[in-house]
């Protein structure tokens, strides 16, 4: 009897194997459009004509737009066109491909990006700030409170009013700037993205609008964006440090982004005049008016 | 009994047929499920690729020169369209340059491809991958289930006819054996009658003529005497052969009487003390069954006399029942038992031809035979149904 049972099990195993192989064989090579092939390398455009095209991080778009307006007002040539935000990574790719003349970045270049051989020109340092709806009474956040906000454990402030965090998208360089000051924020934010605990905004404009219109809202944004728009939001001190120009320069306010232009070496002449204007006293004064701090010439971010 | 070989022949062919049908029927559901699921997944992938392509085209329409670098915008729009949880997707521009690519799944993927066009110009090509793990798990589960069902059905489709054929083959073989037994006994009877009526009568007549001649010619009595003796010997031989072929006692006395006479003859010839016990009257059975039972007891006593080295033998006939078969109650039967006080069967020794012929006769009659140690001696037990049945 046991021999019969053993034979039966073997027969069933063989039949199962054949039956499972049948659909595999029946569908081999059919169905589906196949995986994407390797990408085609883009042709790079080394020369350009007409206006200087500037695009990149949203953290620098407003600043560059005002500088371009000032450049145009004084009859600067060639003209400068500032495109809407592409992000720092998009700007570097676009500059490398020759699609734009000047890229705007608000973070250090990665080793792969440095290997592209682009030239980097530091322009300014801007503060990454935690801003809040006017209904939020406290004007400062301790670093512990900042962590608790991201962890979702701080839902009320000292006055008993509710508070909620608004997040920027994952790729936003303002996050990295905060993480350099409070390293634990990276993991807390990742968990918040995964659990979809907080609302996510994709642009400074959207963030500032949300902060201004949502009672109890607190979120990360750029000081230049707030100053330029005259937004009705409160800028909070972090860890007891106000985001002043002095604090930015001496490093006591550590959530900062260094803003820079990147360009191909062969376009240096094309962009030289505008970059020179930005780094001139007139340009520096405009940068200060917008809430950022001009940086020394030639230093890589 | 000559084997027909029908069961073996049928079993081989039936197994191949049932195995092929079972595998085919087991493979059909997983193949159908897999094909259908695969098509569904490809359609889903292409549909999602269509939607991603629409998003990309929308962004490209807003930023015709730089859309391929505005990954943030594309991500934002994909999230707004509920496409942020795709297992994998890849976007290439119209010339095949990389725009963005994300792979979140670790297992196998099925890809759908769609092109995004704007103003008659190819703007982008989108691939979306969907996970196939659930499809494979489903295929495996359906395979296991369908093979199990197919195996069960196949077992029933195979075993039922094979067993029916085997039963029929046994019945046919049994009937053939019974027929052979009947024909054999009838032939023996015919030969016995021919001997008795032909040679026997001729020899008797010749003897009578010789006796008359001796009386008429006494001067030749000395020469005729040996002829008469030879004739007497021949007549005795004819009578013995006739008795072996067709025991006259069976005809004259019936089975019970014939057995009693045979026991007395054996006792007288061998010096064995033979006891006999049987119901009176004995139940009636067919003539060839009577003959076969007589021969069983005859063979068993011959075996005792030649091989057992016994002093006593017991012969008994009783009413019994055969064991239940095919779900039916055991039939009424006659049990014949011959026991002795001799040396019995040697342990492990094969049965002799006499015991084998007893077993064969019992089987052909649809009965059973057993040979057991009687401590001391051997017990031979044969049980035959009162009504004819196949072995």
């Amino acid at each position: 009897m046991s021999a019969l049972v053993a034979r039966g099990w073997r027969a069933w195993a063989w039949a199962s194997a054949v039956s499972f192989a049948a659909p595999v064989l029946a569908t081999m090579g059919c169905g589906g459009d196949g995986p994407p092939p390797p990408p085609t390398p883009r042709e790079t455009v080394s020369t350009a004509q007409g206006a200087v095209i500037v695009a990149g991080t949203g953290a620098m778009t407003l600043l560059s737009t005002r500088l371009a307006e000032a450049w145009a007002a004084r009859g600067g040539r060639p003209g400068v066109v500032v495109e809407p935000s592409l992000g720092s990574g998009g700007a570097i790719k676009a500059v490398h491909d020759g699609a734009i003349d000047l890229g705007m970045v608000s973070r250090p270049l990665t080793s792969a990006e440095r290997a592209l051989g682009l030239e980097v020109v530091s322009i300014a340092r801007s503060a990454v700030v935690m801003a809040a709806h006017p209904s939020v009474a406290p004007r400062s956040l301790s670093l512990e409170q900042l962590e608790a906000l991201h962890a979702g454990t701080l839902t009320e402030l000292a006055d008993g009013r509710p508070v909620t965090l608004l997040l920027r998208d994952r790729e936003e360089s303002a996050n990295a700037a905060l993480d350099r000051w409070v390293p634990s924020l990276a993991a807390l934010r990742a968990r918040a993205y995964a659990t979809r605990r907080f609302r996510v905004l994709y642009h400074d404009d959207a963030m500032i609008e949300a902060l201004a219109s949502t009672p109890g809202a607190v979120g990360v944004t750029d000081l230049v964006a707030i100053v330029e728009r005259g937004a009705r939001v409160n800028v909070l001190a972090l860890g007891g440090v106000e985001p002043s120009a002095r604090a930015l320069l001496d490093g006591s306010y550590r959530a900062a982004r260094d803003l820079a232009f990147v360009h191909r070496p062969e376009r240096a002449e094309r962009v030289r005049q505008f970059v020179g204007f930005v780094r001139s006293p007139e340009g520096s004064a405009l940068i200060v008016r917008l809430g950022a701090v001009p940086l020394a010439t030639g230093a890589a971010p | 009994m000559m084997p027909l070989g029908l069961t073996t022949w049928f079993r081989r062919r039936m197994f191949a047929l049932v195995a092929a049908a079972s595998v085919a029927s087991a493979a059909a559901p997983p193949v159908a499920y897999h094909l259908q699921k695969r098509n569904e997944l490809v359609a889903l992938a292409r549909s999602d690729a269509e939607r991603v392509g629409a998003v990309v085209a929308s962004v490209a329409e807003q930023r015709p020169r730089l859309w391929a670098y505005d990954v943030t915008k594309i991500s934002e729009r994909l999230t707004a369209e509920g496409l942020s949880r795709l297992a994998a997707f890849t976007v290439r521009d119209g010339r095949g340059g990389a725009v963005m690519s994300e792979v979140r799944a670790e297992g196998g993927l099925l890809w759908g491809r769609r092109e995004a066009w704007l103003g008659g110009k190819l703007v982008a090509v989108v691939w979306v991958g969907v996970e196939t793990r659930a499809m494979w798990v489903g295929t495996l589960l359906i395979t296991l289930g369908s093979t199990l069902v197919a195996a069960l059905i196949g077992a029933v489709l195979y075993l039922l006819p094979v067993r029916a054929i085997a039963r029929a083959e046994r019945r046919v073989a049994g009937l053939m054996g019974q027929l052979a037994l009947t024909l054999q006994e009838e032939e023996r009877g015919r030969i016995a009658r021919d001997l008795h009526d032909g040679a026997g009568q001729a020899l008797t007549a010749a003897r009578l003529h010789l006796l008359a001649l001796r009386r008429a010619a006494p001067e030749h009595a000395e020469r005729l005497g040996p002829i008469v003796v030879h004739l007497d010997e021949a007549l005795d031989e004819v009578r013995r052969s006739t008795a072996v072929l067709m025991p006259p006692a069976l005809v004259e006395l019936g089975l019970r009487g014939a057995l009693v006479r045979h026991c007395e003859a054996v006792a007288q010839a061998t010096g064995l003390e033979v006891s006999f016990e049987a119901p009176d009257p004995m139940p009636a059975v067919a003539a060839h069954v009577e003959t076969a039972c007589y021969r069983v007891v005859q063979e068993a006593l011959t075996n005792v006399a030649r091989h057992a080295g016994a002093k006593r033998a017991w012969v008994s006939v009783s009413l019994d029942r055969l064991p239940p078969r095919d779900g039916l109650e055991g039939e009424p039967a006659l049990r014949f038992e011959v026991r002795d006080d001799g040396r019995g069967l040697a342990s492990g020794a094969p049965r002799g031809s006499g015991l084998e012929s007893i077993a064969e006769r019992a089987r052909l009659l649809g009965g059973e035979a057993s040979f057991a140690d009687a401590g001391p001696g051997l017990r031979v037990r044969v049980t035959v149904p009162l009504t004819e049945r196949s072995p």
Side-chain angles (χ1 to χ4, degrees), chain B residues 12-28:
Chain B
R12 281 198 200 116
R13 280 147 187 80
M14 198 64 185
F15 182 81
L17 182 66
V18 169
S22 295
V23 169
S25 63

Side-chain angles (χ1 to χ4, degrees), chain B residues 115-134:
Chain B
E115 295 174 346
W117 291 79
L118 199 61
K121 190 179 166 191
L122 179 64
V123 171
V125 183
V126 177
W127 283 264
V128 169
V130 293
E131 287 188 278
T132 58
R133 188 178 171 194

Side-chain angles (χ1 to χ4, degrees), chain A residues 12 16 19-20 22-24 27 30 32-37 39-40 42 83-86 90 94 97 99-100 196 202-203, chain B residues 26 31 34-35 38 42 46 63 65 69-70 76 79 84-85 92-93 95-98 111-113 127 136 143 147-148:
Chain A
W12 180 72
S16 296
S19 299
F20 191 72
V24 176
T27 56
C30 64
D33 297 322
T40 307
R42 278 211 184 83
E83 293 272 356
S85 170
L86 277 184
D97 291 345
I100 61 177
R196 298 183 169 229
Y202 286 83
H203 295 284
Chain B
V31 168
H34 193 79
L35 280 173
R38 196 177 181 94
V42 170
R46 287 174 178 161
R63 306 190 72 168
R65 283 187 62 239
Y69 304 100
D70 198 354
E76 178 190 359
T79 302
S84 60
R85 291 197 151 191
R92 301 261 195 268
D93 63 24
R95 293 179 186 174
W111 293 90
R113 176 186 181 278
W127 283 264
W136 286 112
T143 299
T147 49
L148 194 62

Side-chain angles (χ1 to χ4, degrees), chain A residues 4 8 11-12, chain B residues 10 14-15 17-23 25 146-163:
Chain A
L4 186 64
W12 180 72
Chain B
F10 186 78
M14 198 64 185
F15 182 81
L17 182 66
V18 169
S22 295
V23 169
S25 63
S146 67
T147 49
L148 194 62
V149 170
L152 290 172
I153 294 175
V156 171
L157 288 178
Y158 171 75
L159 289 174
L160 282 180
V162 165
R163 285 186 178 169

Side-chain angles (χ1 to χ4, degrees), chain B residues 105-270:
Chain B
E106 291 181 358
L109 296 168
L110 268 176
W111 293 90
R113 176 186 181 278
R114 280 295 180 262
E115 295 174 346
W117 291 79
L118 199 61
K121 190 179 166 191
L122 179 64
V123 171
V125 183
V126 177
W127 283 264
V128 169
V130 293
E131 287 188 278
T132 58
R133 188 178 171 194
M135 175 183 73
W136 286 112
V137 170
T139 302
L140 180 65
L141 290 175
I142 289 176
T143 299
L144 294 175
S146 67
T147 49
L148 194 62
V149 170
L152 290 172
I153 294 175
V156 171
L157 288 178
Y158 171 75
L159 289 174
L160 282 180
V162 165
R163 285 186 178 169
I165 292 287
R167 271 199 302 274
E169 188 177 17
R170 280 198 300 272
R171 284 207 179 114
V172 167
L175 287 171
M176 286 171 62
Q178 285 179 0
L179 185 61
L181 196 63
T182 304
L183 289 174
Q184 185 184 59
E185 294 300 331
E186 284 178 2
E187 186 67 10
R188 284 184 168 191
R190 188 188 64 75
I191 293 170
R193 282 190 298 276
D194 287 347
L195 264 179
H196 180 269
D197 295 344
Q201 295 296 332
L203 287 170
T204 303
R207 184 176 183 276
L208 288 173
H209 282 302
L210 277 174
L211 286 175
L213 185 60
R214 195 168 66 175
R215 283 195 300 272
E219 66 276 16
H220 298 295
E222 199 176 327
R223 289 180 70 182
L224 290 174
I227 298 173
V228 173
V229 168
H230 286 311
L231 277 176
D232 285 340
E233 286 173 358
L235 272 169
D236 285 341
E237 189 59 38
V238 167
R239 286 194 202 100
R240 268 197 302 274
S241 296
T242 305
V244 167
L245 288 170
M246 184 61 165
L250 264 179
V251 178
E252 295 164 13
L253 305 172
L255 178 59
R256 190 180 192 281
L259 287 175
V260 168
R261 181 178 286 187
H262 184 70
C263 290
E264 290 168 352
V266 167
Q268 196 170 25
T270 64

